[in-house]
Amino acid sequence: MRLPIASGVATGAVAIALYPLFQGGAWFWSSLGAILIVTGIGALAGHYTLPGWLAPPAQVLAVFVYLTAAFAGDEAWARVVPTWDSLAKLDRLLTTGFTDIQRFAAPVPDSTGIVLLTCGGVGLIAVLVDLLAARLRRAALTGLPLLALFTVPAAVIAEPISWPAFIIGALGYLGILVADGRERVSHWGRAVLVRRTSSFTVARPSPADTGALRLSGKRIGFTAIVLAVLLPALLPTMEPNPLFGFGVGNGRGGGNSISIPNPMVNLRGQLSLPENSTVLTYEASDSTPRYLRMYSLDIFDGEQWTMSEPRGRPEDRTSDGPMPLPPGQAASAPVTPATVTVTVSDQVRRLSFLPLPYPVSKVTVAGDWRPDRDTLMVFSTRNTAGGLTYQAVTAEPEPTADGLKSAAPPVTAIRERYLALPEELPEEIRQLALRETERGSSPYEQAIQLQEFFTESGGFTYSLATQGHDGPALTDFLIRNRTGYCEQFAASMAVLARVLGIPSRVAIGYTGGSVTSSGWQVRTHDSHAWPELYFEGTGWLRFEPTPAGGAGQGSATVPSYTRPEVAPATPDEPSAAPSSGPTGSDSPTGAANDRRNEILDREFGGALTPVDEGMPLAAKIGIGVAIALLIALIPGLIRWQLRVRRGRLYSRRVRDPAGDGPAGPDPTGAVSPSASREIRWEPVVMASWAELDDVLCDYGMSRQASESPRALARRLAEQYVFEPEAAAALARIASAVERMLYARTPGEIGTLREDMRSVRRALAATVTRGRRIRAVLLPPSTLLRMRAMGGRVLDGFDRLENIRFRGPARKGA
C-alpha cells in the first residue's frame, strides 16, 4: 500500500503548481477528489493482491463515475450511474471548457467546463503515475507524467514558477522514490536472531535494518532539491528565464529576458473583453490621430506569426540620444514631424513595450528603455509602461504614388528576412495572390490591389467569432468563409504580399482611438493588427485591409498613400464612425471604475522571449563566478563572526571577591554577589575552550576525548615546541577550564584574550600556508557544524516518518 499512497501524494503535490492558472479553488478540491479515488483503488488492489492489469481500468472507470456524479449528477441514474443524458452534458461542458480556455487569460475563472477539464486531466495523470510506480515498478519513470503536469503553468503564464511550489512537487516525487526504495530493500532478506535458553534455541526473524540506506537516500534527494533551487539563482542564464523568480537574468531587473504575451492571442482577448476600458491617452502637436505600435512580427512558419528576438544595445538607450534611423528610409524622403505625448493608465500591468507611432526619432521616458534597431520596438527588461507619461518625436514619411511606383528593389537583407515563407504553403493561396493582383505592374500597385481585395472586392466580413490565425484557419479565411477580424486580415495580407515578392510583417498595437476634449483616448477595443509593407527609399508603410466603421474595426483608418488617385499625402483621417463611445460601465460613476482593470497585458497565452541587451557572455559568467565565490565564503564569514563573539566574552576579567569560600545562596534565600559572578564566569571560560577546540579542528590537529585540559596543553606544547610565552598562555587556559570543571570558585582568572591570540599564532606557525588559508576560507569546524545541522534536520524528517499511531491494546492479546 505504500507505493499507491506515495503516488497519490506526489500527484497532489505537483498539482499545487497549477494554482496560478485559476482564480478560485474549486479546481483543486475537485481534482483532489479524483486523486483520492485513484489512490484508494490502487491501495485496495495492493492490499488484496489483485492482478496488476486490473487496477488501471478500474481507476479510469472510477474517475469517470466520479466526474459524472460531480458534474452531471442531475442527468445520471441515482446521481452516479452514467446515462446518455449525463454523457451529453459532460460533452457540452468539455466543449464549453475548451472555448473558455481560448477566451480567458490566466488566471481563468472557475467555470464548470474548465474545472471538469482540469479534474479529468489530473485524474488521468494520477492513474498513469500509479501504473508506473505501483504496477510496473518503474518509480523513476513517474517523473515524466508529473513533469508534464508541472510544465503546464510554465507554458501558459509568463511569471516564473514559485520556488515553494517546485519544492513541494519535488518532495512528492522524492517520496515515490523513497517508498519504492523501501519496498525493494525490504525484500532483500531478513536477519535471523538466535536466542538461547536453558532448554532450547529460538530463531526469530527480524526485519532488515534499512534505516541508514533510507537516510542516505533522503540526504541525496534533499541535496538535489536544494541545488535545483539555488543554482538557477547563482548562474547566468542561457535560457529565456530561470525556473524561479530570482537570480541573474530573471527579467525583473538586471536580466536578459522579458515577458512578452503572445501578441495574436492577446489581441483577440482584448477585443473580446466585455469592458471597453481606457488603456492610454495621448496628445499630438498636429492634432492628428496615429496608430500606436508595440510589437512587430516578422516570422511566419505556416502556423502563426511570431517575432524575432529583439535586441536592445546599451548604447541605444532612449536616454542617451536619438533613436536609430528607420530601416529603408532615405535621408531625403519627405516626412511629417510631430510630437506625441502618451500617458499609459496605471491599471496596466506587465507591459514591457511602449505603444509608439512609427517611426520615431526620439523618445523621452523615465527608465531603461531601448529600441530594437531593425523594428524600432522600444522595450525594457527592468521597467514597465503602466502609469508612465512619455514623449515621442515622430517623422512619418509622406510618400507619393509616383515615388512608390518607382521604388527600387529591396536590399538583400530585407528580402531574406521579410520574404521567407514555408515551403508547404498551399498552392491555392499562391494562386489567389497572383490572380487578385494581375492588373498591377509594380509592387506598390499590387499592394493597393491586395488592400482593395480585403476591403471591397473580396466579400470579406468582420467578426470576432473565428478560430485563429494558424495555417488551416488562414486557408479557411482566404478561400472559404472569408470571415474574421483584424488578426486574419493583417496576417493574410502579409502572407499574400510575400508571395508577390513584397517584404511584409505584421504590427500589433492600437488604432488612433477616439477624440476627447484633451486629446485622444485609446481603449481595449482599439487593439488592432495591421500589415506593414516595405518600399526602398521610404521604408515600412502600414496598410489597412481590415474593414472600418460600425461593420468592422471602428477606429481603423485607411492611409492616404494607399489611395492612388490622391498624389500628395495628407495626414490620416479618423474614421467617421466612432470606435466605441463611453458606456455606462466606463463612465466615472460606473461600477467598472470601482474595480482595478488589469486588461492591457493580461497573459493570453504569454511566453518569455530572450532579449539581447549587449552584455558579453564573459561578463555574465563573471557575475555567476562572483556570486558563487560569495556563497563559498559563507563558512569563513560564519567562523569569523563566531570568533568575534567569543572574543568579546573571554576578554572580560573574572575575579571572585569572596576568595576561596563557597559561592552560593544566602541562608535567607537571596542570591549572593559571589553566586551572581559564578553565573557569569562560566561562559567566559567555555568560550575560550570552544575557540581552542575549533582552532585545533581548523588546523587539522586532534584532541583525544580522554585528554584532560592540562594533558592537552602539555602535549601540544611538547609536540609542536611552543615558545615559553605560548606554552604559558595555553597552560593558563587549561587551568581556567579545570577550575571551571572542578573548583567551587574560579578565583583570579584575568582576561584570556591575549592568551588565545598567542596560542592561535603558535598553532598557525606549525602548519602549512595552504592549511592556514583553508582555515580562514573553508574552516573545517564550521563545515562540520553545517553538516551536523543538516543531519539533524533529516533525522527529524526520519523520525516524523516513523511515527505510528496505534490503537489501544485489545484485552487478552
Side-chain angles (χ1 to χ4, degrees), residues 121 178 257 263 512 570 597 613 690 758:
V178 170
S257 63
T570 57
N597 286 312
E613 294 191 84
S758 177

Side-chain angles (χ1 to χ4, degrees), residues 59-69 80 82-83 86-87 90:
Q59 290 169 331
V60 172
L61 178 62
V63 170
F64 176 66
V65 172
Y66 168 73
L67 295 179
T68 301
V80 175
T83 62
S86 67
L87 289 176
L90 289 177

